[in-house]
Amino acid sequence: MTQATPLLDLERPAVGTIGGAADRVAGKTDFPPGDVAAPPVAARRPIRTHVSEIASLAGPIAMGQLSKQLMQTATLILFGMIHPATLAAGGLAVRITVSTQILSAVLLTVGVSVAVAQGAGDARRISTLYWNGLYLSFLLSVVSFAWFSNAHLLLTTLALPPEVIADTQRCLDIMRWAEPANLIALGLMRGVLPAFGLARILYLLTPASIALYAVTATALAKGAFGLPPMSWVGIPVALVAAKWMAALVMLAMVHATRCRRHIPLAAPRFSVLGPMLRVGVPFGVVQALDTLFFLTTTLTIGRLGAVPLAAHQIVMNYGTITSSFAVSSGDAAALRIGFFRGRHAFADARRAGFVGIVMSFALTTTAAACVALFPDFFLGLFLDLNAPETQPIVAVARSLALVSILWVLMDGVYVASLGLPRATDDNRFAMLTVPFVYWGLGLATAYVLSSTLQLGLIGYWYAFILALSVNALILIARFAWVSRPAAWPAAIAQPTHGPILVRPASGPEHG
């Protein structure tokens, strides 16, 4: 009999094929079920194969990341073009929606869990994980919906101008209806589409959704389709439409293709949702405290004056623009590690992790070189370099040239290394260490350098680079430890205790 290929094939991630004929008939693969302890498999793939596999997954993931960032940028541009008076409220609403990224982080581990089940050839568990991940997306969207609905309470406490509060809340009251779509697209599908080999659609979906958003927002604001002009309200309405279009296309890729044969409907299971939250919530906490750290330091930098604050935010956006590629390498490596965990190919899992980090370092080195060679190009994305009124900001931003290069480099490696604890169910370790480095070492260093040593703004940046570097080194060293060859026998003998390279499926998680 012809040997079946792996279910929802991650062996050839760029192809995105489903299992072979024997798979589809018998519902089996050539790998043992996830709850059967297979012996460790020696590394068989050369490094160039790992590079090819990770790159094939990372490309479309990067497009998805760029879509999120370009949507935010387009929103600010549209507010500025259509109704500049509400730009402050629109920008504030975009800032508030960072909570969506935090909740999405909880769902990222679903993709890794699916990859583990794929490696183990456990078809029933793949279906159970996918459907419960979808249910969890809707549950978390209720939390986000409630937050958006009541954000005005926080804004009032901060004593913001009443008209800004009113416009911001009005904008959020519209944007909240996109939260189920956001959590499906940015959380669940960010891991599941690549794991199912369906992520190539993002190459088309990303530019299409952005174009749809820009055209629809402009049409609604100025009056089209027989409707009266909606002014700035048309912007969040168009955003909701574009978000749902993207999410529905992603769902169609899963449910309207032959992939649906492998994910029959599964009921909600607390025995599955519980572990998802146990693994996902710590990573969400990491994302939340990471975001809060940079928000707090930005507010503190505001005490230095408007010019340093403006220069700081502009230069920090360099990392935002370039980090998409590093994040995609980390996400892709996490999926490959998960697949090899399920297959008990421990050496390949370890190698995939290190290859992903090296690839992210190479990508961010290229980005840092671009920043070093063309600093005015990046500055020109945000400022008119020749306008007299912008010269003080330009001067301060240029003074950060060297640290901005180091920032781009270390930020990329750090965000890629965040994929390692997700891949090894080690998010609790990340939750305990990453915030400690930020809020202990990073904040203390920022205070000493900026205030005690009176370095001002650049003192904060030295502290940022130090914190990012230490966090990246800790996460990489932790992965090296939990994936060491000496840990492989223990990973099989005690699959449910502590961070391990492989966690076989338990009985209750089966459909």
Side-chain angles (χ1 to χ4, degrees):
M1 186 174 93
T2 304
Q3 189 180 33
T5 56
L7 177 68
L8 303 174
D9 197 3
L10 266 174
E11 291 292 313
R12 296 183 297 277
V15 177
T17 56
I18 312 298
D23 248 350
R24 294 190 291 271
V25 173
K28 299 179 180 179
T29 71
D30 56 333
F31 304 119
D35 51 359
V36 177
V41 180
R44 292 176 296 180
R45 287 169 171 75
I47 290 178
R48 66 178 179 274
T49 304
H50 282 291
V51 171
S52 175
E53 291 171 343
I54 292 174
S56 298
L57 289 169
I61 293 174
M63 291 299 292
Q65 287 294 299
L66 282 172
S67 175
K68 175 188 70 176
Q69 293 170 3
L70 290 175
M71 280 282 193
Q72 292 179 347
T73 302
T75 299
L76 296 178
I77 293 173
L78 286 167
F79 268 107
M81 290 173 54
I82 295 172
H83 204 283
T86 56
L87 180 57
L92 187 56
V94 170
R95 288 287 184 184
I96 289 173
T97 59
V98 73
S99 59
T100 303
Q101 300 176 31
I102 295 170
L103 292 175
S104 296
V106 177
L107 294 162
L108 291 180
T109 54
V110 177
V112 174
S113 298
V114 169
V116 173
Q118 288 174 316
D122 193 340
R124 290 178 298 169
R125 189 170 179 235
I126 291 173
S127 178
T128 302
L129 287 168
Y130 170 75
W131 281 101
N132 280 269
L134 189 59
Y135 301 144
L136 184 58
S137 299
F138 285 108
L139 288 175
L140 292 176
S141 72
V142 173
V143 176
S144 192
F145 189 96
W147 158 236
F148 281 23
S149 300
N150 295 282
H152 64 279
L153 299 177
L154 175 62
L155 302 181
T156 302
T157 302
L158 296 174
L160 295 180
E163 63 276 9
V164 173
I165 296 175
D167 286 343
T168 301
Q169 187 59 55
R170 189 179 178 191
C171 188
L172 290 171
D173 285 344
I174 299 171
M175 295 170 69
R176 63 186 177 181
W177 296 102
E179 283 308 279
N182 277 328
L183 289 169
I184 290 172
L186 301 177
L188 180 66
M189 291 299 177
R190 175 174 160 183
V192 167
L193 281 183
F196 284 0
L198 300 172
R200 280 188 171 185
I201 186 63
L202 295 176
Y203 285 120
L204 176 62
L205 186 58
T206 294
S209 59
I210 294 172
L212 173 68
Y213 172 41
V215 171
T216 305
T218 304
L220 292 177
K222 296 183 177 180
F225 315 118
L227 298 173
M230 300 178 67
S231 187
W232 68 268
V233 176
I235 299 173
V237 170
L239 181 64
V240 172
K243 293 287 188 178
W244 271 109
M245 184 276 291
L248 290 175
V249 170
M250 293 179 186
L251 288 170
M253 289 299 298
V254 175
H255 294 277
T257 64
R258 59 180 179 172
C259 179
R260 69 181 183 277
R261 304 173 187 174
H262 301 285
I263 51 168
L265 181 64
R269 308 242 341 238
F270 289 110
S271 60
V272 178
L273 291 171
M276 279 185 181
L277 290 171
R278 176 185 59 78
V279 176
V281 167
F283 189 68
V285 171
V286 171
Q287 292 288 88
L289 293 178
D290 179 306
T291 302
L292 186 59
F293 170 77
F294 285 102
L295 176 60
T296 300
T297 52
T298 297
L299 294 175
T300 306
I301 288 171
R303 297 187 303 176
L304 301 176
V307 170
L309 178 61
H312 163 74
Q313 296 194 83
I314 289 171
V315 177
M316 183 161 282
N317 270 295
Y318 294 176
T320 302
I321 294 172
T322 59
S323 66
S324 298
F325 303 100
V327 170
S328 66
S329 294
D331 283 1
L335 290 173
R336 294 307 292 167
I337 294 168
F339 179 80
F340 291 125
R341 281 175 56 201
R343 201 177 183 185
H344 293 180
F346 297 165
D348 273 322
R350 179 180 173 89
R351 183 174 294 181
F354 287 122
V355 168
I357 293 299
V358 171
M359 288 178 65
S360 72
F361 184 80
L363 289 169
T364 52
T365 298
T366 303
C370 291
V371 172
L373 293 172
F374 311 105
D376 283 355
F377 169 78
F378 287 92
L379 272 177
L381 295 175
F382 304 94
L383 289 172
D384 181 352
L385 301 183
N386 298 316
E389 63 271 17
T390 65
Q391 293 310 301
I393 300 174
V394 171
V396 175
R398 284 174 173 164
S399 72
L400 299 175
L402 177 60
V403 292
S404 69
I405 297 169
L406 296 174
W407 159 262
V408 169
L409 185 62
M410 297 316 305
D411 182 58
V413 176
Y414 163 68
V415 295
S417 67
L418 284 174
L420 300 177
R422 290 207 311 271
T424 54
D425 287 352
D426 204 13
N427 288 330
R428 281 179 291 181
F429 174 82
M431 180 180 68
L432 295 174
T433 55
V434 170
F436 176 79
V437 172
Y438 272 141
W439 291 91
L441 177 64
L443 206 58
T445 303
Y447 176 79
V448 170
L449 293 179
S450 64
S451 299
T452 305
L453 299 181
Q454 298 184 346
L455 294 181
L457 177 59
I458 202 168
Y460 282 94
W461 278 81
Y462 287 142
F464 295 157
I465 294 167
L466 176 64
L468 288 170
S469 302
V470 171
N471 271 329
L473 288 173
I474 288 175
L475 293 176
I476 294 171
R478 176 68 171 183
F479 175 76
W481 174 254
V482 301
S483 66
R484 70 196 188 283
W488 298 350
I492 296 178
Q494 298 180 3
T496 59
H497 293 87
I500 55 177
L501 189 62
V502 59
R503 188 184 300 278
S506 58
E509 290 191 13
H510 288 67

